Amino acid sequence: MVDKVKSYNPGADVELIRRAYETAEQAHSGQMRDSGEPFFEHPREVSVILAGLEMDTVTICAGLLHDVVEDTDFTSDQIAEEFGSEIALLVEGVTKLTNMPFQTRQESQAQNLRKMFLAMAEDLRVVMIKLADRLHNMRTLRHLSPERQRRMAEETIEIYTPLAHRLGIWTVKWEMEDLALRYLEPEAYYQLGNLVAKQRAVRESEIAQVIDELSGRLAEVGITAQITGRPKHFYSIYQKMHRQGKKFEEIYDLLAVRVLVESVKDCYGVLGMVHTMWKPVPGRFKDYIAMPKSNMYQSLHTTVIGPKGDPFEVQIRTWDMHRIAEKGIAAHWLYKEGYPKRSKEFDEKVAWLRQVMEWLREMREPEEFLATLKIDLFEDEVFVFTPKGDVKNLAAGSTPIDFAFSVHSDIGLRCVGAKVNGRIVPLDYELKNGDIVEILTAKTPSPSRDWLGFVKTSKARSKIRAFIRDQHQEESVAKGRTLLEREARKAQVEMASVFQPEALQTAARRYGYAEADDLLAAIGFGKILPRQVLQKLIGEDEPADRKSLTVGTVASKGRQSQGVRVKGIDNLLVRMSKCCSPVPGDEIVGYITRGRGVSIHRADCPNVQSLPAERAIAVEWVANETQNYPVDIEIEAIDRSNLLANLVSTVNDSKASIGAVNARTSRDRLVNISLTVNISDLNRLHDLIRKLRQVDGVLSVQRARLT
């Protein structure tokens, strides 16, 4: 590790790295990973990855110490005292929020990601450590259970690989994508491996011929270049097959040619030579040198017809561009020894982070934050121009509304029309590379909820949602309060006890809302039933109107129940609690009820928190492929014809069945649909939710909030 660091940073503080190494090794002494190897192997490998990205000494040390606060008795104050406040702040930024009482795994994920992004705003090295941490965890994923493998692979492909893309760290992005594919689609992964191996000899001979011919021509005109073949990664092949509906045999750019030269002038010289030697494919030339991507990537891309009639891609860039392409933001590292402490160019390159922080502070619900984050970490971009010639890079598929919000939030809110290349276009028009966009505005803001059905960028989506929410918040709060009062009168509960501020605030937090008014607004909007909230307020732990669904009894001497076993006790009635609807794959706990056997809850069920600990009992899932379990799913969508039919068809195609459907429409064409589906396990539930999100017009799909 020291040799690697000194190779790119001869002035590195080797003694500091050595002390951090020894401290982390001692702190983790005796701890083991799931693989059976010493735990210290993980932080050591994380720091090796960081050294490979040529990070500074402080980041290497923080990588070695990144799990010390979370997993040992070491404190942040001790790290600050021994290694300085800079390293302590980086470690603190990576450390999870382990001591906070989250109600759901999704809330925990959202809040930990929120903390990481807030720490990134102060120091981007936090995310470099987190990416290295995730990459090593993905490399050793085979030692975890199948459910944890899938959950981590999904999170990696949804959050961390797009984040690596955003920061331009291609080496990390590609490896994480291929590793995630291995666990999400193992059959496709290994099939691709076999197909690529069979085709490689033929492809490599063709690329070798191209390299030989191009090298000779460039030598003739005096251009010094290094030319190599670049294999296409499994995940990018899989994506092309999946998105474009192509067979493996129809994908020709499994290998590409990369040309590295000394200057920008030589880049364009090589491009001209390539186009004279082989016929270019129309529409497949991209100039990322003149218009760099937002993640700093620069290169010329062109696709030409090769000597044997097959198309292949040529990438042309300088050595400096190549270093940035491989290491991304790390290649421009702000804090690296010898670099200036602040740089206007650096700030411009990470301007997207400031946009993330802007909407991050507006997000009230964890689910909304996660959904918006995934939208913002897009990969494909489109470059358009303002009437003055300024370049704006947006998500592919963006509309004039997205463009308007990228210029200024006020322009987006007041947008009433748009001109593209001098002619009026609809607001849902998809912008194309090179479009010149002019926004037409009104004097007062008037965004429509319909816009949420086609805008692409997180900034536009969050600003529209915030405006609509603020407009309707007061009305929804009043309606929610009225509904709760009506429910209290019906149950003959004293009003003063129901509307105590402390009680309402506590109930709001149990439902994942920051303020009591947010909870009342959710009641008014129909997201939560008033009687559910009333039951929380008056302290009923398992009310009569929430009777459990009988699953079966536990037979003697280890015979299986229908899906659940109570550890150590036989012949007990077992019931699935409808308040959280657990399915195999969920972590579960048992609760001994009065006269109704053992009630099974998800471990993160809010009702469990208020139950007496002495009545808890250990339970576990047992294999039962024929058993299905009811799960509630909430869907928000733009209302249209055949929407429900499409959703039902998607459920049926996923080998699940529908137990109940409830739909509510609003005046602004928004529909909220509650589906009860019968499904066998958590993995199939995740697959179904992913497929439902792809149905046209669907804005969000999530498992029903725990009540």
Side-chain angles (χ1 to χ4, degrees):
M1 187 193 304
V2 168
D3 289 343
K4 178 65 179 174
V5 172
K6 292 183 74 173
S7 70
Y8 65 84
N9 183 12
D13 188 344
V14 173
E15 182 55 34
L16 185 67
I17 295 175
R18 196 179 304 279
R19 282 201 297 117
Y21 188 102
E22 292 171 353
T23 299
E25 186 174 28
Q26 184 177 0
H28 291 297
S29 177
Q31 295 180 347
M32 309 297 286
R33 304 191 78 210
D34 290 335
S35 62
E37 65 183 3
F39 186 90
F40 177 66
E41 287 297 305
H42 171 63
R44 188 182 69 82
E45 287 299 320
V46 167
S47 61
V48 169
I49 293 169
L50 291 168
L53 293 170
E54 301 186 1
M55 295 304 297
D56 62 325
T57 304
V58 167
T59 310
I60 302 292
C61 293
L64 286 163
L65 298 165
H66 80 274
D67 275 329
V68 164
V69 173
E70 185 175 333
D71 295 327
T72 77
D73 294 332
F74 248 73
T75 66
S76 294
D77 290 340
Q78 287 178 286
I79 292 180
E81 185 178 341
E82 294 189 29
F83 297 97
S85 59
E86 197 175 2
I87 291 176
L89 286 172
L90 292 182
V91 173
E92 178 63 24
V94 180
T95 302
K96 294 176 186 174
L97 305 173
T98 51
N99 298 321
M100 291 189 66
F102 298 120
Q103 301 297 335
T104 66
R105 182 180 290 116
Q106 189 176 39
E107 183 183 355
S108 173
Q109 180 194 36
Q111 296 292 11
N112 278 302
L113 287 169
R114 185 194 294 266
K115 179 187 177 186
M116 184 181 74
F117 272 83
L118 287 168
M120 279 172 58
E122 298 298 323
D123 196 326
L124 263 174
R125 290 175 293 184
V126 169
V127 81
M128 301 302 297
I129 300 169
K130 189 61 184 176
L131 287 173
D133 171 65
R134 178 51 61 108
L135 176 57
H136 184 249
N137 281 331
M138 290 299 294
R139 287 175 179 175
T140 56
L141 203 57
R142 64 187 179 278
H143 301 293
L144 302 185
S145 66
E147 192 234 329
R148 289 177 66 192
Q149 287 175 349
R150 187 169 189 85
R151 190 166 69 233
M152 185 170 284
E154 283 178 345
E155 185 181 62
T156 298
I157 216 73
E158 290 179 348
I159 302 293
Y160 290 99
T161 59
L163 186 56
H165 172 91
R166 268 304 210 154
L167 296 173
I169 312 170
W170 297 98
T171 52
V172 172
K173 167 184 154 64
W174 287 330
E175 185 177 353
M176 285 199 300
E177 283 179 338
D178 282 357
L179 288 168
L181 180 65
R182 177 180 173 183
Y183 294 99
L184 290 175
E185 299 289 347
E187 187 176 335
Y189 177 85
Y190 290 110
Q191 184 181 21
L192 275 177
N194 292 331
L195 291 170
V196 169
K198 291 177 183 177
Q199 293 275 349
R200 182 163 286 162
V202 177
R203 302 287 187 190
E204 286 181 347
S205 65
E206 185 175 352
I207 291 297
Q209 180 182 345
V210 168
I211 292 174
D212 188 55
E213 291 180 17
L214 184 56
S215 297
R217 294 292 294 273
L218 293 180
E220 291 176 9
V221 296
I223 295 179
T224 302
Q226 176 180 303
I227 310 174
T228 57
R230 181 187 67 82
K232 202 172 186 70
H233 293 266
F234 284 7
Y235 186 76
S236 57
I237 298 172
Y238 171 80
Q239 272 193 313
K240 183 165 285 191
M241 292 171 64
H242 188 67
R243 288 179 178 176
Q244 301 178 12
K246 290 186 175 181
K247 296 180 180 178
F248 179 80
E249 295 75 17
E250 298 175 298
I251 298 177
Y252 297 103
D253 56 344
L254 296 176
L255 286 174
V257 172
R258 179 176 290 154
V259 184
L260 303 179
V261 294
E262 297 295 332
S263 67
V264 173
K265 178 183 175 183
D266 286 346
C267 288
Y268 289 99
V270 172
L271 178 68
M273 183 64 69
V274 168
H275 283 179
T276 58
M277 295 176 66
W278 299 289
K279 185 176 180 180
V281 177
R284 293 300 303 272
F285 167 64
K286 295 176 182 177
D287 188 344
Y288 294 120
I289 294 179
M291 291 193 296
K293 290 188 174 185
S294 60
N295 59 15
M296 305 173 296
Y297 180 85
Q298 287 185 287
S299 187
L300 297 176
H301 291 192
T302 187
T303 302
V304 295
I305 303 299
K308 295 183 179 179
D310 293 332
F312 68 93
E313 185 181 62
V314 181
Q315 298 178 356
I316 309 163
R317 62 180 72 142
T318 66
W319 284 97
D320 284 342
M321 293 173 190
H322 180 61
R323 182 165 174 267
I324 293 170
E326 294 296 301
K327 295 184 170 64
I329 201 75
H332 281 265
W333 197 251
L334 173 67
Y335 295 91
K336 192 176 290 183
E337 287 84 352
Y339 275 64
K341 282 294 180 185
R342 208 63 196 163
S343 161
K344 181 181 177 183
E345 179 189 17
F346 184 91
D347 284 345
E348 289 174 352
K349 292 181 187 301
V350 294
W352 67 273
L353 178 58
R354 289 196 297 274
Q355 296 175 9
V356 170
M357 298 311 303
E358 186 178 337
W359 56 256
L360 174 63
R361 293 186 177 93
E362 297 174 355
M363 298 294 110
R364 299 188 182 182
E365 300 183 31
E367 294 85 355
E368 186 180 0
F369 166 71
L370 269 181
T372 311
L373 177 63
K374 292 170 185 177
I375 291 169
D376 193 71
L377 293 175
F378 53 78
E379 295 189 25
D380 299 323
E381 294 177 309
V382 61
F383 297 89
V384 296
F385 296 90
T386 69
K388 293 182 178 179
D390 297 328
V391 179
K392 293 285 183 182
N393 48 319
L394 303 167
S398 287
T399 66
I401 295 172
D402 295 294
F403 175 87
F405 278 102
S406 74
V407 175
H408 195 280
S409 298
D410 184 57
I411 293 176
L413 292 172
R414 294 189 295 113
C415 175
V416 292
K419 288 183 179 180
V420 173
N421 303 324
R423 64 183 183 85
I424 297 287
V425 296
L427 289 177
D428 61 355
Y429 168 85
E430 287 195 8
L431 298 174
K432 301 176 178 60
N433 278 320
D435 280 346
I436 301 172
V437 187
E438 180 183 354
I439 299 299
L440 309 176
T441 59
K443 290 184 179 180
T444 56
S446 57
S448 167
R449 188 184 287 271
D450 291 350
W451 293 0
L452 294 171
F454 52 79
V455 294
K456 294 294 181 183
T457 59
S458 65
K459 181 175 183 180
R461 186 174 293 272
S462 65
K463 291 294 182 183
I464 295 165
R465 283 186 181 275
F467 182 87
I468 294 171
R469 183 177 61 232
D470 292 343
Q471 290 291 102
H472 298 288
Q473 177 81 352
E474 189 174 336
E475 178 185 336
S476 297
V477 168
K479 184 177 179 182
R481 186 178 293 273
T482 300
L483 291 172
L484 192 56
E485 287 175 350
R486 185 182 304 163
E487 193 66 32
R489 284 194 296 270
K490 191 187 303 181
Q492 297 182 338
V493 174
E494 187 180 345
M495 303 294 292
S497 64
V498 172
F499 286 101
Q500 286 183 357
E502 297 81 5
L504 278 173
Q505 186 68 27
T506 300
R509 286 175 180 164
R510 292 187 66 180
Y511 278 98
Y513 294 104
E515 302 294 337
D517 279 357
D518 296 330
L519 176 62
L520 292 172
I523 297 171
F525 193 67
K527 286 187 175 181
I528 304 175
L529 294 176
R531 83 167 174 276
Q532 295 171 349
V533 177
L534 182 64
Q535 288 158 2
K536 293 288 187 300
L537 291 169
I538 62 179
E540 290 188 13
D541 58 2
E542 196 165 355
D545 62 27
R546 199 166 266 293
K547 291 180 180 177
S548 300
L549 175 69
T550 301
V551 173
T553 58
V554 179
S556 60
K557 301 303 178 187
R559 286 176 58 196
Q560 295 178 358
S561 70
Q562 298 181 43
V564 176
R565 175 189 294 132
V566 180
K567 295 181 181 178
I569 303 177
D570 296 328
N571 298 321
L572 285 181
L573 182 67
V574 177
R575 302 169 181 270
M576 290 293 172
S577 291
K578 292 181 70 177
C579 58
C580 54
S581 301
V583 297
D586 286 324
E587 295 180 24
I588 53 174
V589 295
Y591 171 67
I592 302 173
T593 64
R594 294 186 177 91
R596 287 179 286 135
V598 176
S599 177
I600 307 299
H601 293 261
R602 281 163 53 186
D604 53 1
C605 177
N607 287 329
V608 171
Q609 312 301 321
S610 60
L611 300 179
E614 63 272 12
R615 290 165 68 181
I617 191 169
V619 293
E620 62 184 352
W621 294 107
V622 292
N624 190 339
E625 296 181 359
T626 62
Q627 180 71 31
N628 284 328
Y629 302 83
V631 179
D632 293 330
I633 296 175
E634 294 177 351
I635 302 171
E636 186 179 44
I638 300 296
D639 197 13
R640 64 169 176 83
S641 59
N642 295 322
L643 172 64
L644 192 56
N646 294 155
L647 294 172
V648 171
S649 175
T650 301
V651 173
N652 291 335
D653 291 344
S654 299
K655 298 180 181 179
S657 62
I658 294 178
V661 180
N662 183 29
R664 302 181 304 278
T665 58
S666 60
R667 289 171 295 181
D668 41 14
R669 292 186 58 224
L670 191 70
V671 58
N672 289 281
I673 301 171
S674 297
L675 282 182
T676 300
V677 297
N678 299 307
I679 204 155
S680 60
D681 58 55
L682 194 61
N683 287 336
R684 290 195 177 180
L685 176 62
H686 288 163
D687 287 338
L688 174 59
I689 289 175
R690 187 163 51 248
K691 290 174 182 176
L692 288 171
R693 285 173 178 159
Q694 296 170 359
V695 173
D696 186 32
V698 170
L699 301 176
S700 68
V701 183
Q702 61 190 19
R703 195 169 177 178
R705 185 185 295 275
L706 295 177
T707 60

